[in-house]
Amino acid sequence: MYSNILIPISLDEDRDPQTAIDVATILRAESGTMTFLHVIERPPNYALSYLPPEFLKEQRGMIESEMSLMASKHPGATAAVIAGHAGRVISDWSKDHSADCIVITSHSPGMQDLLLGSTAQYVVRHAACSVHVVR
């Protein structure tokens, strides 16, 4: 059983974090904690000029509210929202906060993943703790 589980959460419409949450709940020790982490990736600079000035701040506020609501439904869970490169932030956060397990969802790989890589692949390769990948 794990005492400090990190669950990266994607809020994209085609992603369902519930399977990862269910797996983490099973793997968590009775007194363990879970952290739901969402990483906000910065839009490309050329796109920023087309966005209203308050867009990023408002988007972050909505994401923080949604993540807090999600965490409030699970005992021992907290939420965090951080900006940066998803794979790197997840790996670094897990080290900095002594996570002993990461439960991350992954989609079925396609050609773009062979060329670009995926967040789950990055985390599996760089995390200092156990990683459970859920499809």
Side-chain angles (χ1 to χ4, degrees):
M1 295 296 192
Y2 297 101
S3 60
N4 185 7
I5 300 176
L6 175 62
I7 308 165
I9 302 288
S10 172
L11 297 174
D12 294 343
E13 288 182 25
D14 63 339
R15 303 292 175 105
D16 182 12
Q18 193 56 51
T19 303
I21 294 168
D22 292 344
V23 169
T25 301
I26 292 167
L27 295 173
R28 183 178 62 169
E30 190 173 322
S31 61
T33 61
M34 297 188 300
T35 302
F36 299 160
L37 176 68
H38 180 80
V39 180
I40 299 173
E41 295 206 30
R42 182 178 167 85
N45 286 336
Y46 69 85
L48 287 174
S49 63
Y50 295 103
L51 299 174
E54 294 297 314
F55 175 79
L56 295 177
K57 185 177 180 180
E58 291 171 3
Q59 180 189 34
R60 184 181 185 104
M62 289 186 305
I63 290 169
E64 287 174 343
S65 294
E66 190 168 344
M67 293 294 291
S68 293
L69 178 62
M70 189 181 302
S72 71
K73 297 177 182 178
H74 302 278
T78 58
V81 177
I82 300 176
H85 175 269
R88 197 171 311 121
V89 167
I90 293 165
S91 296
D92 290 347
W93 194 98
S94 69
K95 291 173 193 167
D96 295 345
H97 293 86
S98 302
D100 53 358
C101 180
I102 299 170
V103 179
I104 188 167
T105 58
S106 178
H107 62 285
S108 298
M111 182 58 76
Q112 74 274 12
D113 296 311
L114 297 175
L115 301 173
L116 300 174
S118 71
T119 301
Q121 287 175 340
Y122 187 96
V123 172
V124 166
R125 290 185 180 144
H126 295 93
C129 63
S130 297
V131 179
H132 291 265
V133 180
V134 180
R135 280 210 185 157

